Amino acid sequence: MGRASSLVALLSVANVILGQDVAAAARWIGETRKENGVTYQCKCYSDNACWPIANAWSKLNTTVGGALRLALPPGAPCYRSVSGVPAAGSTYDAAECANVQANFNSEQWLTDHPVAELWPLYTNNTCLPTSNPDATCTRGYYGDYVILATKEAHIKAGVDFARNYNLRLIIRNTGHDFMGRSTGYGSLIINTHSFKKTQFITKYSGPGDWTGSAAVVGAGVQGRELYRKAFAQSPKVVIVGGECPTVGWAGGYVQGGGHGPLSGIYGMGADNVLQFKAITADGNYVTANAKENPDLFWALKGGGPSTFAVVTEVTVKTFPEVPTAATILNINSTHTSDQAVIDEGFRIFHSLSNHYVDNGMFVYFELSAFNGLHIQPFVGPRMNAAKIQEVLKPLFDGLDAANIPYSTVTKEFPTFFEMYIDMFEDEAPNQNSIVGGRIFTKKDIAENADAIADALTFASQPQPGVFGISVGHIVNPGNGVPTADNAIHPKWREASSFVITNVIVTGQETWDQKKEFENIQTNVVGARLRQAGPNGAAYVNEGDLYEPNWQEAYWGSNYAKLLQIRQKWDPNGVFYTQTTPGTENWSILDYGKKLCKKA
Ligand SMILES: Cc1cc2nc3c(=O)[nH]c(=O)nc-3n(C[C@H](O)[C@H](O)[C@H](O)COP(=O)(O)OP(=O)(O)OC[C@H]3O[C@@H](n4cnc5c(N)ncnc54)[C@H](O)[C@@H]3O)c2cc1C
Ligand SMILES: *[C@@H]1O[C@H](CO)[C@@H](O)[C@H](O)[C@H]1NC(C)=O
Ligand SMILES: *[C@@H]1O[C@H](CO)[C@@H](O)[C@H](O)[C@H]1NC(C)=O
Ligand SMILES: *[C@@H]1O[C@H](CO)[C@@H](O)[C@H](O)[C@H]1NC(C)=O
Ligand SMILES: *[C@@H]1O[C@H](CO)[C@@H](O)[C@H](O)[C@H]1NC(C)=O
């Protein structure tokens, strides 16, 4: 492991002589590794001679105004020290440890932490809070350093440093990514969470043909925070955002596309973007809109997170508030102990997906063996209680005709925001699961609804050695925005139901066991989803890290153009996130540690 080539050793002597001031990419060559007969050249890590010397890090710290920190797991204050990180010194702090323990399951606290991830599987579940300070805290897959950026210049300094020294760079906003893409072993992390600018505009006059209202949203603004600010405007406005209160809006959400409860009337988050401000792999400040850098503008709208640039702010259309009704429906162990009855209820419900989306609705549901079918809520924008009940009548009639027991509650609200606050639930973080999923199109639902319901029922129940939960979003952005000139997979326009499948794990499995569960997600659960929904696609923000033919699955006919744009704006791979355009020759080797490129 970690054998530095003699070339690197020689160069490192030169580096010391130069004091590492003149960092040219070519000098900072990481180790050569061979895996499965393929030779790779890696980024620089702390066990390589090309790793920046202490003086270089302290210069970076000066450039970023003292905002550089050692990246330490959130549980570190509960341990005497962090193994292998002598610079962290004595980390134990009883009061801070108590604080960590009290907040470790708070989504907001985790998103506010410099480097925490909400789904700890991809941190290796390392250094968890403990009451035994003598236990060992290791760094796992957390990074080495983090810049707590508060200014654009801090982000630029981080990008320049990572590029010049050939380091793995991670952009971390809220740490929400289900697939661990806001953490990375041995990396330099740029934390964008402090970019909280929000500014509302009543009449947009920039490039493009939109002259309605808009908002400028900083990279760190979160979903509910943004909804709340939009609601406080006069007149009140709405923005297409996600269902989750703490997901970042302008980071991964928009760059992956972004679906949400208003997508059935206003399209996807990225459909509504008017302009990005960003910092490129070259460290340049750029504006991307219909006139300036239109290729980058197109790609940032759904072409993949952490792929083309670091986004610092986004200007987006806002829309007038809408009266909204919502309905909750449960079929669970309080209604029946017969799983077959719940399954049949689910089949009846899900088979009507096209009907819901043709009425502009959004539906959020969870299906699992332990909680049954939990639909919270059906969202009816521009509907009152009577109207949503009328739209849902085929569902109620279908359940009644089949003698399926259920409970349901309907409410109406003067605005979307009041509905959102009342009817949506917060998620619990710190769950360990291996994620996959599928977008089922209207054609798939029309032709194959029973097979799709069967596949989802299969994915949501204990299979031998596996527990599953499915999290569904019945939504058709094409109903609101029938065509869009952006990178979002064109199949989203024909979507009817997008479901995330989860293979639940403990997080304590060995590497080989994790690989086995990944294989179950991809090739057992995922294979069934693809078979049941042959006309569908997949969603890069909530998808399988090992999705077969991911280029086609995540971007379809847009992929070729995205690859060209990636090669233009980041030819050397300053940015990296698994399954994003142009990453074909890169792999994370050495048990999930080193990012390396085929030599
Ligand atoms: C509980 C939950 C609910 C969700 N609900 C929805 C939903 O309703 N609709 C939906 O579409 N998605 C939803 N998602 C998925 C969500 O869109 C993605 O997880 C998204 O990537 C989160 O972005 P983030 O910036 O908050 O997270 P992070 O984990 O911090 O970042 C995610 C990715 O974006 C990159 N990134 C972050 N900021 C920037 C930036 N400024 N510039 C460039 N790259 C950046 C990161 O490097 C990383 O690759 C949900 C996720 C969770 C966990
Ligand atoms: C960066 O500088 C600040 C302020 O001087 C200091 O508190 C911090 O520890 C430094 N970071 C590192 C990684 O040394
Ligand atoms: C991840 O955890 C496993 C099991 O505890 C351990 O063997 C492995 O070394 C860890 N990997 C890292 C990068 O810490
Ligand atoms: C089961 O349904 C009942 C009745 O609607 C509801 O109160 C309860 O919260 C549901 N349980 C779950 C786990 O959703
Ligand atoms: C991967 O490497 C091969 C061989 O050098 C090259 O032809 C190809 O264009 C590369 N692919 C990408 C996506 O960079």
Side-chain angles (χ1 to χ4, degrees), residues 505-536:
V505 294
T506 63
Q508 302 304 324
E509 288 82 1
T510 63
W511 178 263
D512 288 346
Q513 287 166 332
K514 284 179 190 162
K515 290 285 145 196
E516 249 173 66
F517 283 120
E518 285 171 355
N519 181 54
I520 288 171
Q521 175 62 269
T522 307
N523 297 313
V524 181
V525 175
R528 284 213 181 194
L529 303 180
R530 290 187 293 276
Q531 201 174 22
N535 302 294

Side-chain angles (χ1 to χ4, degrees), residues 361-386:
M361 291 181 87
F362 171 93
V363 188
Y364 186 81
F365 70 85
E366 290 173 2
L367 180 67
S368 66
F370 30 99
N371 288 342
L373 174 61
H374 177 55
I375 308 170
Q376 182 160 355
F378 291 88
V379 179
R382 300 185 182 130
M383 292 183 199
N384 60 17

Side-chain angles (χ1 to χ4, degrees), residues 209-502:
D209 44 23
W210 181 254
T211 55
S213 60
V216 183
V217 182
V221 178
Q222 291 167 277
R224 182 163 54 200
E225 187 181 17
L226 185 57
Y227 286 148
R228 197 182 293 287
K229 289 192 168 157
F231 184 71
Q233 301 307 305
S234 175
K236 299 179 189 345
V237 291
V238 289
I239 288 177
V240 176
E243 56 77 28
C244 171
T246 54
V247 161
W249 189 85
Y253 174 81
V254 152
Q255 289 166 62
H259 60 77
L262 289 171
S263 291
I265 60 169
Y266 295 136
M268 300 206 33
D271 291 341
N272 296 306
V273 172
L274 298 163
Q275 173 169 293
F276 293 93
K277 288 202 172 166
I279 294 161
T280 65
D282 286 340
N284 294 322
Y285 298 99
V286 293
T287 297
N289 58 35
K291 252 200 197 136
E292 268 180 272
N293 302 307
D295 60 339
L296 188 60
F297 181 51
W298 183 88
L300 284 171
K301 291 183 291 185
S306 192
T307 302
F308 304 97
V310 188
V311 168
T312 55
E313 65 177 52
V314 181
T315 307
V316 61
K317 294 177 187 174
T318 62
F319 301 100
E321 255 291 8
V322 281
T324 304
T327 295
I328 298 168
L329 190 148
N330 288 306
I331 308 175
N332 62 36
S333 57
T334 62
H335 308 97
T336 176
S337 53
D338 186 350
Q339 186 62 44
V341 170
I342 297 179
D343 293 350
E344 178 60 6
F346 175 70
R347 191 191 65 77
I348 293 169
F349 151 71
H350 196 261
S351 303
L352 288 164
S353 293
N354 289 351
H355 171 68
Y356 312 133
V357 298
D358 286 347
N359 283 279
M361 291 181 87
F362 171 93
V363 188
Y364 186 81
F365 70 85
E366 290 173 2
L367 180 67
S368 66
F370 30 99
N371 288 342
L373 174 61
H374 177 55
I375 308 170
Q376 182 160 355
F378 291 88
V379 179
R382 300 185 182 130
M383 292 183 199
N384 60 17
K387 177 67 186 172
I388 199 171
Q389 279 173 317
E390 182 196 318
V391 174
L392 293 178
K393 189 163 185 301
L395 169 62
F396 300 138
D397 288 351
L399 294 173
D400 293 343
N403 262 321
I404 312 275
Y406 59 91
S407 333
T408 181
V409 177
T410 292
K411 293 187 189 176
E412 62 181 31
F413 301 86
T415 59
F416 165 78
F417 181 72
E418 287 157 285
M419 181 287 302
Y420 177 78
I421 293 297
D422 190 298
M423 301 296 266
F424 277 83
E425 301 169 293
D426 287 12
E427 290 90 359
N430 283 313
Q431 303 182 53
N432 282 281
S433 98
I434 291 166
V435 172
R438 186 99 184 138
I439 300 164
F440 300 104
T441 59
K442 290 175 66 172
K443 181 169 154 66
D444 286 324
I445 296 285
E447 293 175 355
N448 240 354
D450 288 355
I452 292 170
D454 278 353
L456 293 173
T457 301
F458 172 82
S460 313
Q461 279 165 28
Q463 312 307 326
V466 182
F467 233 105
I469 300 182
S470 297
V471 178
H473 314 74
I474 296 178
V475 58
N476 175 19
N479 190 66
V481 176
T483 59
D485 185 16
N486 59 39
I488 295 171
H489 198 313
K491 289 274 183 188
W492 265 116
R493 304 298 144 196
E494 302 158 33
S496 183
S497 177
F498 163 59
V499 185
I500 304 172
T501 53
N502 290 274

Side-chain angles (χ1 to χ4, degrees), residues 124 140-141 593:
N124 213 22
Y141 299 121
K593 292 195 289 212

Side-chain angles (χ1 to χ4, degrees), residues 25 43 163 166 282 566-567 570-575 586 597:
K43 297 254 179 191
R163 183 187 64 249
N166 196 18
D282 286 340
R566 171 68 186 262
Q567 281 164 347
D570 183 20
N572 298 316
V574 172
F575 304 118
W586 293 90
K597 190 182 185 188

Side-chain angles (χ1 to χ4, degrees), residues 61 66 68-70 145:
N61 199 5
L68 185 71
R69 299 283 177 277
L70 289 169
Y145 287 93

